[in-house]
Structure formats: C-alpha cells, structure tokens
Amino acid sequence: MNKNIFFTILLVVFMSVPVLFTSCNSCSDRRTGDIDKLPGVYRGEATIVLPDHVKAMVPPEAKGMIPEGPIPCGIEIQADTNETLALKLVDFTMPVRGITVDAATATITSTNGIFSLKGNGNVSVGSRKMSYTHEGTIKNDSLALDITVSIIPFVVEPKIVFKGKITRLPIL
C-alpha cells in the first residue's frame, strides 16, 4: 500500500514539473501580449546624423536639402493582431519630391515596463527602394527610435534619431 502511494506521489510530481516548464511562454519568449497602450501618434523631433565621410560626398547644391537641426514630425503606431506593430511617418513633408516612406513593421519585447521595438521598412525614391532598420524603446508614453537607412551598405548609412511623446490615442 505504501509503495502505491509513493509511486502515485512520484508520478504526480514528475508529471507536473514538465507542465510548469512548458506552460510559461514568457519565460522563453520575451514577446509581450500587452501592447494595448502603445498605439497612437508620437509627436516629437527627428535629427539626421551624417558621418563626416558622408557629408563630404554631398554636392554643394544639395546641402540645403539636408536639414541641419531637429525636424518636427510624428510617428503613428498601429497594433497588428500578430503582436507586431506598424510604424508610419505622419505630419511630415519630404524635402525632395518623389521620396516616400512605407510603413515599417516592428516586433516588440517587454522588460520591466519598457517596451523594445525592432524592425525594418523601405524608402522609395522614384523606382528605387532602399531598406532601413529601426530600434527603439517606449517608456512612460515616450518613444525613442534610432533609424538606419542603408543607401550603400556599410558605406553610406545615415542615421535618424527620433524622440517623441504620445499625443493622441487611437479611437477604439
């Protein structure tokens, strides 16, 4: 009788341990399911950071088209059903005609209330497409985003730094 009770307890313990390790999705996958408060329009400023070797390549007649200081703009974040986000540039007019920025996708992870974004998108200049990557964080309704546009990979890759705060929540 004691052997049956011992084996039953042993069986229950060994059956429950694997369930504990496999039932916790957040332990192995740091993706977050709580992205309800992230969508909206983040208004702020973007600054273009060009390395010196890239500045030297810009012809004198085009120097006025590259802004020196911060540019006011906004980024709209929309949630997807697959726990991904779509980032779209809003309230900004390109300095050169024919340039369009497609909405970017972002995967999101969360650690201690700070949401980390990482993804990519495309910039179209006429019929030519250039890719860009972005990384950033959302903390306390503030978005900080670093964008790298790959014009010539590893040679000409200007960076854009965006900092903004949420101003309008989406209508549900």
Side-chain angles (χ1 to χ4, degrees), residues 1-14:
M1 174 99 166
N2 287 339
K3 287 183 182 181
N4 289 340
I5 293 174
F6 175 72
F7 286 122
T8 305
I9 291 172
L10 196 61
L11 183 64
V12 168
V13 168
F14 281 121

Side-chain angles (χ1 to χ4, degrees), residues 8-49:
T8 305
I9 291 172
L10 196 61
L11 183 64
V12 168
V13 168
F14 281 121
M15 291 297 284
S16 62
V17 169
V19 170
L20 291 174
F21 286 115
T22 59
S23 66
C24 181
N25 290 334
S26 65
C27 296
S28 62
D29 187 8
R30 301 294 295 180
R31 292 179 143 218
T32 181
D34 184 28
I35 59 173
D36 297 340
K37 57 187 170 187
L38 301 182
V41 176
Y42 293 79
R43 297 201 190 284
E45 296 179 333
T47 305
I48 299 173
V49 180

Side-chain angles (χ1 to χ4, degrees), residues 69-89:
I71 307 160
C73 63
I75 294 180
E76 181 179 7
I77 296 180
Q78 299 172 338
D80 189 355
T81 56
N82 298 334
E83 293 185 6
T84 58
L85 299 176
L87 283 70
K88 185 172 129 183
L89 186 64

Side-chain angles (χ1 to χ4, degrees), residues 79-114:
D80 189 355
T81 56
N82 298 334
E83 293 185 6
T84 58
L85 299 176
L87 283 70
K88 185 172 129 183
L89 186 64
V90 294
D91 298 333
F92 179 74
T93 304
M94 289 292 168
V96 179
R97 295 177 110 187
I99 297 177
T100 57
V101 180
D102 301 335
T105 58
T107 56
I108 185 164
T109 56
S110 175
T111 306
N112 299 329
I114 299 173

Side-chain angles (χ1 to χ4, degrees), residues 38 40-45 74-77 85 87-88 115-117 134-147 161-166:
L38 301 182
V41 176
Y42 293 79
R43 297 201 190 284
E45 296 179 333
I75 294 180
E76 181 179 7
I77 296 180
L85 299 176
L87 283 70
K88 185 172 129 183
F115 295 92
S116 297
L117 310 170
H134 62 83
E135 263 184 51
T137 59
I138 298 176
K139 180 181 178 184
N140 299 332
D141 296 334
S142 294
L143 171 65
L145 199 62
D146 292 335
I147 302 161
V161 178
F162 175 83
K163 293 183 191 255
K165 288 191 165 286
I166 195 164

